[in-house]
Amino acid sequence: MTNILEVDKLNAGYGKSHILFDVSLNVEDGTICAILGPNGSGKSTVLKTIFGLTTVYSGSIKFKGNNITGMEPYKIARLGIAYLPQVDSVYLNLNVRENLMMSGYILEKNEIEERIKYVEEIFPVLKEYRDRKVYTLSGGERQILVMAMALIRQPSLMMFDEPTAHLAPKIANQIFEKIKELNKSHGITVVLVEQNVKRALEESDTAYLLVSGKVNYYGPSKELMANEKFGKLFLGL
Ligand SMILES: Nc1ncnc2c1ncn2[C@@H]1O[C@H](COP(=O)(O)OP(=O)(O)OP(=O)(O)O)[C@@H](O)[C@H]1O
Ligand SMILES: [Mg+2]
């Protein structure tokens, strides 16, 4: 059992605005780790910091044992981390296929074709809609495209920021199923920021609860689900 990601006593923020305080977080290879917490608690900032998009004051981030603290995002991406931000990151005026090609631009041409076939097998809807402009797709279909665009680069760790936000429950379920499939069948480790706390706990192996930029709790998701105080606070039980 090895940790693919090790975050140790991280202090980080935006310029002088200190947001994360001594955040430590370990993600075991092949697992799903949920990051939960109220609005503004720093969940997105954790993902952005791992991906090299904020200012780190102290602490360290290791990926597969290598120190990536302060590394540029494109280098972090090349090492095998995919970051799927909260906002839509697709090109609306391009079609599905063109979007997939854009995200594979660092690859050789024949390699791109191979990888597009690979993601079309996982997400058949993208094959069906390959020539459709992305602005004609539904929210759920766009989220699938975002996942496929990240997969093109064959990451070993995928970090999702609220992948089911604004989606109908049925569509959100499909996204959760796909995330599980990526984890179970393709061996991809997942860090998942979710506002659907109950579902996130059901789908994850471990969970971290952030409050005001600090880790308030961490442990097996099952334990958090059974925790009465937590249930009252976040699950409405
Ligand atoms: N680019 C930025 N510059 C300065 N402060 C920021 C920036 N982005 C976020 N913040 C601040 O950092 C804090 C944590 O924000 P963050 O987006 O990480 O929270 P979150 O837990 O993801 O919230 P939500 O559940 O609403 O997505 C907030 O106080 C926010 O105002
Ligand atoms: Mg956020």
Side-chain angles (χ1 to χ4, degrees), residues 44 86 161-162:
S44 297
Q86 207 164 358
D161 199 342
E162 303 203 8

Side-chain angles (χ1 to χ4, degrees), residues 30-68:
T31 62
I32 299 182
C33 171
I35 300 182
L36 311 168
N39 289 129
S41 58
K43 305 182 296 295
S44 297
T45 304
V46 169
L47 299 193
K48 284 189 250 177
T49 303
I50 293 167
F51 206 65
L53 294 166
T54 66
T55 314
V56 175
Y57 313 127
S58 66
S60 68
I61 305 162
K62 281 188 188 160
F63 176 62
K64 294 183 177 169
N66 302 308
N67 192 345
I68 59 163

Side-chain angles (χ1 to χ4, degrees), residues 3-17:
N3 289 328
I4 190 168
L5 184 70
E6 294 173 298
V7 174
D8 189 38
K9 293 202 188 79
L10 192 66
N11 284 277
Y14 304 92
K16 283 183 181 160
S17 175

Side-chain angles (χ1 to χ4, degrees), residues 82-146:
Y83 163 55
L84 292 81
Q86 207 164 358
V87 285
D88 258 0
S89 49
V90 289
Y91 305 96
L92 293 177
N93 283 310
L94 299 181
N95 68 31
V96 166
R97 202 186 144 73
E98 289 161 343
N99 267 273
L100 291 172
M101 296 198 57
M102 288 294 288
S103 64
Y105 73 97
I106 52 168
L107 308 170
E108 302 286 334
K109 194 159 187 291
N110 57 347
E111 218 178 0
I112 293 188
E113 290 304 328
E114 230 171 73
R115 302 271 180 93
I116 287 181
K117 271 200 201 123
Y118 166 74
V119 297
E120 283 178 346
E121 262 168 45
I122 301 177
F123 307 108
V125 67
L126 296 180
K127 192 170 182 181
E128 193 183 325
Y129 289 170
R130 70 191 322 180
D131 298 319
R132 267 175 66 174
K133 294 266 206 250
V134 169
Y135 65 78
T136 68
L137 302 184
S138 70
E141 289 158 356
R142 282 183 206 183
Q143 184 57 43
I144 281 174
L145 176 59
V146 169

